[in-house]
Amino acid sequence: ESPPSSLPRRGFRQIVLSAHLCLGLLLGFYFSLLGLTGSALLFKSELHRFFKPSIYYVAAPENTSRLSLDKLAQVFSETHPGISISSLLLPIATNDVLIIGYKAALPGQKKPQSMQILIDPYTGKVLAEQLSGGWFFRTLHNLHAKLLLDDLGEDLHRYGVLAVFALLLSGVWLWWSSIAGLVEPLKLSKVLSQFKQKVTVKLNGSFNRKVFDVHSVVGFFAAAVLSVLALTAASDLWHDQAVAIVGALTGGPVVLEEKRPSSSGKGSGQGSSTRLKLESKEPSVKASPLSYDAMLVTAKNARPNMVAVAITDKLGVRMVEPGEPYVVPRCVTVLVNQGDASLRRIDDPASLPLGQQVMAWLLPVHFGQWGSGVSYYFVKAVWFVVGLCPSILFASGVMMFMLKRGVKR
């Protein structure tokens, strides 16, 4: 018989278990949807390029150099009179295309949409025009970020992510309490023995046991990354509160900037937009016929060992180390003067206050874009697998619930 002191603890565990069960059944589909769409979006740029190579890659003619950026920009201006260029994603490899970003209102859309025009940099031929990243992945992104409900979907996410936190925390507590026990003093030998059992699926056990083990093992190995994903999502959905918390923890100011939609363009710059003031608000490129080629020359002279990957609409050239992916918080931005494209200053993210660096990296971490070199794709692969785990946890949780109800009947 359990001592009287253990009864309140067992009662509390039953309350947590019931809360975890209810949250899991109510939010399981929602949590699974976020995981599956998030996993698909991790490699949206690579997948889009794989399925549509004809618009992203060109055959580089022998003994032929690329046309100047100004001539390629003129191709856009001739086909889109009166529309301003918002960004240029520059070709890096010899077979890459130039991707020009701009905003345009589409039929049936309330807000201007982020669009792309893909141009052969050797001939100036327009290869395609599309929503940034393509219609399919843009729709998938809207499903993931806003449930296809625009502002209402974002509001639902704000409270949904809090419920997901509660689901994760209750699951972790239940997992740990089943190891440490609620009555007996904590003994290392017992904990290690229980831990080994909890991270192993007993293949020779009953079907019920296998389902329970799968739920327990998957939950254990995915809990840390799922918590990171929930935390980084919450930092975007509850942005002002996150800024205040990060500022208090780091002891420095975090400068805000108006939210901009994440890009879905070439490389890994997609999804890594930030509301931090990584570069001050400057007159946009549209206010001046400034030469893109002159901007590029200034940037290469300022940082000769770096590679220019993009030109923004704020008179800035973003540059990365050779071989590094295009992730905004990792970019050095060379800003030029509007009149003659002379060097104004160099914005290096490493020189930002710690709080701004933390906030700048939260969304890239959410999208699995924080690795460097080969590890960049390893991290994305881990994030991809973890994104599948909510579906496994939901399915195994429902099966456990139904099997338990069947036993009671």
Side-chain angles (χ1 to χ4, degrees), residues 20-21 24-25 27-29 31-32 167-168 171 175 211-223 226 386-401:
H20 183 75
L21 175 62
L25 293 176
L27 296 176
F29 180 77
F31 200 12
S32 300
L167 183 64
L168 288 171
W175 189 92
V211 172
F212 177 82
D213 286 347
V214 166
H215 191 83
S216 179
V217 171
V218 171
F220 169 76
F221 285 106
L226 288 175
V386 172
L388 306 179
C389 291
S391 298
I392 299 174
L393 292 171
F394 179 45
S396 58
V398 170
M399 292 178 68
M400 289 165 59
F401 175 71

Side-chain angles (χ1 to χ4, degrees), residues 332-399:
V332 170
T333 303
V334 178
L335 294 164
V336 304
N337 290 306
Q338 185 170 348
D340 57 1
S342 60
L343 179 64
R344 179 195 295 269
R345 71 171 185 274
I346 299 175
D347 283 353
D348 190 335
S351 63
L352 290 172
L354 178 60
Q356 288 186 231
Q357 292 189 50
V358 171
M359 289 301 301
W361 273 104
L362 287 175
L363 274 184
V365 167
H366 183 80
F367 289 102
Q369 297 176 347
W370 55 274
S372 179
V374 177
S375 66
Y376 173 79
Y377 292 101
F378 173 76
V379 170
K380 291 183 78 170
V382 172
W383 258 230
F384 175 84
V385 172
V386 172
L388 306 179
C389 291
S391 298
I392 299 174
L393 292 171
F394 179 45
S396 58
V398 170
M399 292 178 68

